[in-house]
Amino acid sequence: MAPPNSQKRVKGVSIFRPFVYGSIAKPFDPETNPKPEGTPADHTHSWTVFVKGVDDTDITYWCKKVHFKLHESIPNHLRTVENVPPGGTYEVHETGWGEFEITIKMYIIPESLEKPQTLYHHLRLHPYGNTEAEKEAMKAAPEILSWNYEEIVFNEPYENFYDILTSPVDRTKGAKGGTGKGTRVMKGGMVGSVGERVALVPLTSRPGQPYSKETEKNELRRLREAQIKVDDMVAELKKEIEEKEAERAQLKSLA
């Protein structure tokens, strides 16, 4: 039995953390992506399924580990990835020939007292799109990307977890990209450079980073344009119905 929890929740507070999950697939090619020795003959692609921070920001201070459930035909189809360095990616690399659904379960750090979060991702190995132009563009791309933006919201987190989510980190302890190991800066301060933990989406997109305020702005513009188009179609259809009703009424009066 778990010990009793004496912590209090921080009332009226919600903290969100964005992240990206999905897959990257690449067809085997003798020059650009040679098939590793021992790979089954019918395997056509190498692929990676992953969970990481937006713009490669650190999520390891709140995400303890990630469990991936692959297709049962894959050896060791239950994979757990943990002990990822700050700013790193929870990922599994494999090869195969077919598409299938992957169950992804994210385990929050024990201090959170939160339940695991479950996601589902359909592995994509082949180009897809809504238009022929999109399909052709994906065929020309060296990799098949299937990414999803997601946010996890911690409503009224417990005090210890709230402290972890909001405390600055010491960046003087050499780590990848200048990001420290998530050491909390206690009251009274610490010697060295200190950085804030942030959960902001980048302002602009770049290769390998499709999620940004710029992307959001463009998507909203597309939605507005689509809404205008739908409104015009509705107005045109309404006008057509009114004309047909008038014509029906005229024919009825002549009968």
Side-chain angles (χ1 to χ4, degrees):
M1 177 180 292
N5 174 33
S6 60
Q7 293 187 62
K8 295 181 180 179
R9 288 188 176 273
V10 182
K11 298 295 184 180
V13 171
S14 291
I15 297 179
F16 85 95
R17 288 293 180 264
F19 62 94
V20 178
Y21 70 97
S23 59
I24 303 172
K26 192 172 183 179
F28 285 125
D29 181 271
E31 295 183 2
T32 61
N33 187 31
K35 184 177 293 189
E37 185 177 352
T39 302
D42 59 348
H43 285 200
T44 59
H45 292 72
S46 62
W47 53 264
T48 300
V49 59
F50 68 89
V51 175
K52 67 175 185 176
V54 177
D55 205 21
D56 298 322
T57 55
D58 184 26
I59 65 172
T60 61
Y61 66 94
W62 59 264
C63 181
K64 171 66 175 177
K65 60 184 179 181
V66 178
H67 180 82
F68 298 91
K69 183 179 180 182
L70 311 178
H71 194 274
E72 293 181 357
S73 64
I74 298 175
N76 186 25
H77 71 284
L78 301 177
R79 312 281 181 92
T80 299
V81 182
E82 55 185 327
N83 299 323
V84 173
T89 302
Y90 299 89
E91 58 187 354
V92 168
H93 305 281
E94 265 297 346
T95 65
W97 57 268
E99 299 181 348
F100 57 90
E101 186 176 71
I102 300 173
T103 302
I104 301 172
K105 184 174 287 187
M106 301 177 66
Y107 290 82
I108 316 305
I109 59 173
E111 293 88 339
S112 70
L113 301 177
E114 297 277 354
K115 295 180 180 179
Q117 302 292 313
T118 302
L119 307 165
Y120 300 94
H121 175 70
H122 185 80
L123 174 65
R124 292 280 186 179
L125 300 184
H126 305 286
Y128 66 97
N130 296 323
T131 66
E132 288 302 321
E134 291 176 343
K135 293 178 182 179
E136 289 301 320
M138 289 200 69
K139 287 181 181 179
E143 298 175 326
I144 307 300
L145 305 182
S146 180
W147 292 17
N148 301 277
Y149 172 91
E150 187 58 86
E151 295 177 358
I152 185 170
V153 179
F154 301 110
N155 288 313
E156 299 188 343
Y158 285 103
E159 294 169 325
N160 285 357
F161 189 42
Y162 174 81
D163 190 29
I164 292 172
L165 289 172
T166 58
S167 293
V169 292
D170 176 18
R171 299 189 185 279
T172 61
K173 299 184 177 182
K176 182 180 178 180
T179 302
K181 293 185 178 181
T183 305
R184 290 198 302 116
V185 179
M186 305 302 293
K187 291 182 179 179
M190 293 179 64
V191 177
S193 173
V194 173
E196 294 293 332
R197 284 185 171 133
V198 296
L200 301 178
V201 177
L203 293 177
T204 58
S205 301
R206 59 176 174 76
Q209 168 42 42
Y211 301 105
S212 66
K213 291 296 183 182
E214 178 187 22
T215 304
E216 181 181 20
K217 183 178 179 180
N218 290 337
E219 190 64 23
L220 288 173
R221 176 181 54 78
R222 289 177 58 187
L223 289 173
R224 285 194 296 268
E225 292 174 351
Q227 184 63 57
I228 293 173
K229 185 175 180 179
V230 170
D231 289 343
D232 290 342
M233 293 173 63
V234 170
E236 184 177 346
L237 182 59
K238 184 177 180 180
K239 181 180 178 181
E240 183 178 346
I241 292 174
E242 289 175 349
E243 290 175 352
K244 294 295 184 182
E245 287 293 338
E247 183 179 350
R248 186 178 71 87
Q250 184 180 11
L251 293 174
K252 186 176 181 180
S253 66
L254 295 175

